[in-house]
Amino acid sequence: MTSLAHAAPLSTPPAEATPAQLKRDLHKALLRKRVAALALIAPLAIFLLLTFVVPIAALLMRSVENPEVAATLPHTVAALSKWDRTGVPPDAAYVALAADLNAARESNTAGALARRINADLPGARSVVMKTMRATPLVDADGKPLAESAIKPALIELDEEWGKPEFWQVIAKNGSKYSPYYLLASVDLKQDAFGHVYRADPEQSVYTQIFGRTFWISLVVTLCALAIGYPLAYWLSTMSERRANLFMILVLIPFWTSILVRVAAWIVLLQSEGLVNKALMGLGLTQAPLELLFNRFGVYISMTHILLPFMILPLYSVMKSIPPTYVRAAVSLGSHPFAAFWRVYVPQTFPGIGAGALLVFILALGYYITPALLGGPNEQMVSYYVAYFTNVTINWGMACALGALLFLATLVLYSVYRRFAKTDVSM
């Protein structure tokens, strides 16, 4: 009895979990799974952020940066903040300019300022550099000039300082950020009061360059579609073993360096190349054709290089289309061509859209092929991006052209997504 009295009480069964507790436990389990999934993709996300998002953000930021005047002439910009940009600015602006140019001479930053002002006002570079070398302004005894004497001294040094055009350029570019490069990349300019106007026809070159870039990309896309569609259809009708063999032949150029392929086309298309010799041997031509350093050579080489990007999406879509659909249409009395056009082709629209978008976007950014096979009138936007980056060191203009190409790519992709959604809903 005593042992039974001192025995431990039996444990009571656990109470049933309430719906609220079950909901919290489920939420915690889902949260743990989400955290584990995020941890798995975190390295890839960080890599994409550092190598894709950050450079694009820097490019977009650099395209609207205009820091030369604001950073080199801060006091001058402040003195011109209340100027109405008509007539000659007040004497305080001349005093601030002399002080800023003296500081720029000591810090060796006047070169970038002179180039920037010269872009808006040709000939301004020599004026800025001459004035900078003359600072600090002193009198005959070597003493600093009084503030009231600085304005006449600067105008005497160069009469351009007595004209409002110089000061309007400085005031207009006083902000660290401006649309100057973006406007210039589409042949637009801003006057002293911020009004946008179109540049002179003799200076309007970038709209032609963009038009040429889009036209070449469009022609290359259509050529790749015209060649790639029947080839992809032919591959889709083969057995899997033969299709894999021919697909390797399609991909061999894809795995070859672009420079090697361009060099091969130079050998083939030159005056003494195989193409001209074959045409002359067949009696089709009496003299070698000009196939290099013109638009024709660019079309051929770019189509050859980008053709796999058209064939692969088309082949993947065509392989999933049952051939019984066309046979059923023919058995119901349709003409074979009408059955192919009205039954088979609409089912390949996703592959056509994906391949055309891929080829067009890749063609927009091509640089090596037009540079090596094309002439001066065949260079695309990417050539001028490289020119401003490597030759003139004009990062603002290079980034503005790149930003417009990036914007065009986003617009094309959004249009494709919209049409793709429409096709799916239909």
Side-chain angles (χ1 to χ4, degrees):
M1 295 292 293
T2 305
S3 60
L4 290 175
H6 292 283
L10 296 174
S11 58
T12 59
E16 293 184 359
T18 63
Q21 290 175 338
L22 290 175
K23 188 175 181 179
R24 284 196 299 268
D25 293 341
L26 180 60
H27 179 71
K28 290 180 181 178
L30 292 176
L31 183 61
R32 284 194 296 268
K33 288 185 178 180
R34 274 192 205 134
V35 171
L38 290 175
L40 290 175
I41 67 171
L44 178 60
I46 294 174
F47 175 79
L48 291 176
L49 178 66
L50 295 178
T51 60
F52 186 73
V53 178
V54 172
I56 289 178
L59 178 143
L60 296 176
M61 183 65 68
R62 196 67 180 264
S63 66
V64 296
E65 281 186 350
N66 191 25
E68 293 85 359
V69 175
T72 310
L73 304 177
H75 300 94
T76 308
V77 171
L80 295 174
S81 60
K82 297 182 179 180
W83 178 46
D84 60 0
R85 302 186 185 184
T86 59
V88 179
D91 294 354
Y94 288 87
V95 176
L97 177 68
D100 286 336
L101 288 179
N102 185 39
R105 181 181 62 83
E106 296 177 353
S107 61
N108 197 24
T109 57
L113 170 69
R115 287 194 299 270
R116 178 62 190 85
I117 297 179
N118 193 79
D120 271 339
L121 196 62
R125 186 180 186 280
S126 59
V127 177
V128 173
M129 299 305 291
K130 180 174 70 173
T131 307
M132 183 268 297
R133 287 191 292 268
T135 58
L137 299 175
V138 295
D139 56 16
D141 299 330
K143 296 181 180 180
L145 288 178
E147 292 185 357
S148 59
I150 290 180
K151 177 179 178 179
L154 286 176
I155 296 176
E156 182 181 358
L157 182 65
D158 197 301
E159 62 181 6
E160 296 294 331
W161 293 118
K163 300 177 181 179
E165 290 80 10
F166 253 84
W167 298 97
Q168 289 173 351
V169 171
I170 296 174
K172 182 179 67 174
N173 295 286
S175 175
K176 188 177 179 180
Y177 300 98
S178 77
Y180 171 79
Y181 292 113
L182 290 175
L183 292 175
S185 62
V186 289
D187 296 325
L188 297 177
K189 291 185 176 182
Q190 265 186 323
D191 61 14
F193 303 96
H195 302 140
V196 178
Y197 64 96
R198 184 161 293 280
D200 296 334
E202 295 80 8
Q203 300 176 349
S204 300
V205 294
Y206 296 110
T207 51
Q208 298 178 9
I209 293 170
F210 273 102
R212 180 195 310 155
T213 300
F214 281 97
W215 177 254
I216 291 176
S217 302
L218 178 61
V219 173
V220 169
T221 302
L222 294 177
C223 291
L225 179 61
I227 299 173
Y229 194 95
L231 183 56
Y233 176 74
W234 180 55
L235 291 174
S236 66
T237 58
M238 292 182 180
S239 63
E240 186 174 354
R241 182 176 179 181
R242 293 185 62 193
N244 291 336
L245 176 61
F246 281 98
M247 187 60 70
I248 291 175
L249 298 179
V250 171
L251 293 178
I252 284 177
F254 181 71
W255 296 328
T256 308
S257 172
I258 293 179
L259 287 175
V260 174
R261 283 179 279 179
V262 171
W265 278 113
I266 292 176
V267 174
L268 292 172
L269 298 177
Q270 61 185 338
S271 298
E272 300 298 326
L274 295 178
V275 175
N276 271 311
K277 285 186 176 180
L279 293 176
M280 294 174 66
L282 294 173
L284 299 178
T285 59
Q286 300 300 323
L289 299 177
E290 294 293 334
L291 303 178
L292 276 181
F293 311 118
N294 52 34
R295 192 74 58 88
F296 183 78
V298 174
Y299 286 152
I300 290 179
S301 181
M302 289 183 63
T303 301
H304 171 250
I305 293 172
L306 296 175
L307 188 58
F309 294 98
M310 179 67 73
I311 293 176
L312 292 175
L314 285 172
Y315 175 75
S316 64
V317 171
M318 290 177 177
K319 199 67 177 176
S320 63
I321 299 175
T324 54
Y325 290 172
V326 176
R327 290 200 295 266
V330 172
S331 67
L332 292 175
S334 174
H335 189 275
F337 178 78
F340 177 82
W341 183 255
R342 300 181 64 181
V343 176
Y344 186 84
V345 172
Q347 297 182 79
T348 63
F349 283 166
I352 294 174
L357 180 70
L358 190 58
V359 171
F360 191 86
I361 290 176
L362 290 175
L364 283 178
Y366 252 57
Y367 165 65
I368 295 177
T369 303
L372 296 180
L373 291 176
N377 295 326
E378 280 73 47
Q379 302 307 317
M380 301 168 70
V381 173
S382 54
Y383 172 86
Y384 294 93
V385 172
Y387 172 78
F388 284 117
T389 303
N390 301 321
V391 179
T392 62
I393 320 297
N394 189 345
W395 285 94
M397 199 65 195
C399 291
L401 293 174
L404 290 180
L405 272 183
F406 177 68
L407 178 62
T409 302
L410 292 181
V411 171
L412 288 171
Y413 181 71
S414 62
V415 170
Y416 167 73
R417 286 291 301 271
R418 183 171 182 178
F419 277 102
K421 289 180 179 178
T422 303
D423 292 339
V424 171
S425 62
M426 292 176 62

